[in-house]
Amino acid sequence: MSKKSVLHSFILISFVAAILFTGCTKKTSAPSKVESVESSATRTIVDQVGNTVVLPEKINRVVIASVWPLCSAYCLMYGTDKLVGLDPAIISAAENSMLIKIAPELSNLPSSFSKNGTLNAEELLKLKPDVVLYASGVMEDYDIATQAGIPAVGFSLSAKNFNAVETINSWMELLSEVMNESYDTSKFVEYGNKIQKLVAERLADVKEEDKPTAMIIHKYSATTLAIPGTSTWGDYWITASGARNVASENKGTPQVTVEQIYKWNPDRIYITNFSDAVPDDLYKNTLEGYDWSNVGAVKSHNVYKMPLGIYRWYVTNTDSPLTLLWLAKQHHPSLFADIDMDAEIKTYYKEFYHIELSDDDVREIYTPKRDAARGIKK
């Protein structure tokens, strides 16, 4: 072989080797570099409890623990793809509400990580969540999650002084921070503001003595009768909708005796979906140890189960503007005679949830089943 041919062969072999070496280098180094960036990229937010929380840059796996009403907002904003676990009380509400029509897959999400309101760290870790969302009233969730090495974000129950219409707005803002994905809530906020203004203006000239007295039963069983006083969702609902809270002498939601209720003698009684009780239980005295027969609201058959729409209407949720309007119409029907509540609910659900409600659906919202209280600690 000539020197020229040898030289050409050497150059060709060197060129091929260079290509092969470069290709191997790209295959082995590039993915490891990307994986390193993805696993270490974090960001920091401050939640409504005041804690600074370090979160992954991208959230892919979400567990909603004690902040039960947040699920309605979460599904409205981000669907269900990233949800990997829900507290049992969220699922029981969903299965007995309109939320299941929007997101039937909620029934199949894991819930065994929470039992009777207490998180199980071992079961929680199996879900491999990027974040756990909890309510400010259940700081045990924060302790258990963070001790297990999982970031936990707190949502405050009193973020807006228990104004349920405005609280859900603040929760949605924080949720968009957590997910690191913006969501336009302007129409939702606008509707809530419109309803608050409408109700306040129509009630402005109502004298205090002309307002009915009302009471909300938060929990009701053979051993528990819990009635919300001030600094509660119950007090907000009653006063904002033009009634007087008979339990305003108390703060929070203490247990009371039936004798105390005799003294209060409310004109109207509402029962939340955190209890499996229904109005007939009061009308027929089905629980041993209680006699409701002489209470004004019972005698006049003005006992109501609070509706369950996209979620339980007692606490803040994405139906909260409807709750305020419904209660105002209950307390002052003549001032809100022009409001067709059924039509309002249908229009709202079509606008914000993109579902058409039937007349039967609306009746179902007004008359929740006992099962909606499943998963709640008695």
Side-chain angles (χ1 to χ4, degrees):
M1 184 181 292
S2 66
K3 289 183 178 180
K4 190 175 181 179
S5 298
V6 171
L7 179 61
H8 283 169
S9 298
F10 177 76
I11 292 172
L12 179 60
I13 292 169
S14 299
F15 179 67
V16 171
I19 291 174
L20 290 173
F21 178 75
T22 303
C24 289
T25 302
K26 287 182 179 177
K27 282 184 181 178
T28 56
S29 64
S32 62
K33 186 176 180 181
V34 171
E35 287 167 7
S36 175
V37 170
E38 287 182 351
S39 63
S40 64
T42 60
R43 56 199 166 87
T44 302
I45 69 167
V46 177
D47 66 14
Q48 290 184 335
V49 177
N51 288 328
T52 299
V53 186
V54 178
L55 295 171
E57 187 67 27
K58 189 173 183 180
I59 299 292
N60 291 310
R61 300 178 67 81
V62 178
V63 166
I64 303 180
S66 51
V67 58
W68 301 340
L70 185 66
C71 189
S72 67
Y74 185 97
C75 292
L76 170 64
M77 296 168 70
Y78 302 116
T80 61
D81 288 348
K82 295 181 179 180
L83 287 175
V84 297
L86 293 177
D87 188 277
I90 299 174
I91 295 176
S92 70
E95 290 177 337
N96 291 278
S97 74
M98 294 301 115
L99 184 56
I100 206 68
K101 296 180 183 294
I102 300 170
E105 59 273 19
L106 294 179
S107 286
N108 300 318
L109 285 174
S111 62
S112 59
F113 67 90
S114 177
K115 189 172 183 180
N116 292 327
T118 301
L119 297 189
N120 180 303
E122 185 177 347
E123 292 298 317
L124 188 60
L125 283 167
K126 290 178 183 178
L127 302 176
K128 300 179 181 178
D130 294 321
V131 66
V132 171
L133 311 179
Y134 70 96
S136 62
V138 192
M139 291 305 296
E140 296 89 344
D141 283 6
Y142 171 80
D143 295 334
I144 292 170
T146 53
Q147 285 169 18
I150 305 168
V153 176
F155 290 75
S156 175
L157 301 178
S158 58
K160 296 293 180 178
N161 198 27
F162 292 99
N163 179 321
V165 178
E166 294 179 5
T167 297
I168 196 63
N169 297 340
S170 75
W171 283 13
M172 291 168 85
E173 288 177 16
L174 177 55
L175 185 56
S176 67
E177 280 191 72
V178 172
M179 300 305 295
N180 208 13
E181 295 180 45
S182 61
Y183 182 86
D184 184 5
T185 61
S186 57
K187 287 186 178 180
F188 180 83
V189 172
E190 182 182 346
Y191 180 85
N193 289 339
K194 182 186 78 171
I195 295 301
Q196 286 191 104
K197 183 179 179 183
L198 181 150
V199 170
E201 287 178 348
R202 295 194 182 189
L203 295 176
D205 296 328
V206 178
K207 296 178 181 178
E208 197 68 15
E209 60 267 26
D210 293 331
K211 296 177 180 179
T213 56
M215 181 186 86
I216 294 177
I217 298 175
H218 179 53
K219 290 187 177 181
Y220 176 54
S221 69
T223 57
T224 302
L225 184 56
I227 311 298
T230 59
S231 299
T232 62
W233 304 116
D235 191 60
Y236 164 74
W237 289 128
I238 291 171
T239 56
S241 60
R244 289 175 286 153
N245 184 6
V246 295
S248 61
E249 64 195 59
N250 297 328
K251 186 175 181 179
T253 308
Q255 291 197 48
V256 303
T257 63
V258 72
E259 286 75 22
Q260 178 62 67
I261 292 171
Y262 295 157
K263 294 177 183 177
W264 288 336
N265 197 29
D267 299 318
R268 285 172 174 76
I269 294 175
Y270 300 93
I271 306 171
T272 76
N273 286 285
F274 294 100
S275 165
D276 61 8
V278 296
D280 266 0
D281 293 333
L282 275 63
Y283 296 146
K284 297 176 181 179
N285 282 323
T286 56
L287 277 182
E288 189 176 342
Y290 298 101
D291 178 10
W292 295 91
S293 60
N294 291 316
V295 178
V298 176
K299 289 193 290 186
S300 63
H301 272 228
N302 278 312
V303 180
Y304 308 92
K305 188 76 170 176
M306 289 198 76
L308 174 59
I310 209 70
Y311 186 72
R312 302 177 179 97
W313 276 17
Y314 174 68
V315 293
T316 189
N317 68 93
T318 49
D319 277 357
S320 286
L322 296 174
T323 312
L324 179 60
L325 189 59
W326 176 76
L327 280 166
K329 189 174 173 68
Q330 293 289 113
H331 295 148
H332 299 279
S334 61
L335 294 180
F336 296 89
D338 61 314
I339 302 293
D340 183 337
M341 202 63 217
D342 293 9
E344 194 74 22
I345 291 172
K346 288 180 178 179
T347 300
Y348 185 88
Y349 271 62
K350 186 175 182 180
E351 169 73 17
F352 294 104
Y353 306 135
H354 311 296
I355 60 172
E356 299 268 1
L357 295 182
S358 66
D359 291 342
D360 286 342
D361 288 331
V362 175
R363 279 192 289 272
E364 190 177 320
I365 287 173
Y366 292 144
T367 54
K369 299 172 183 174
R370 294 181 188 271
D371 280 352
R374 278 188 292 108
I376 297 172
K377 188 176 181 179
K378 301 301 182 185

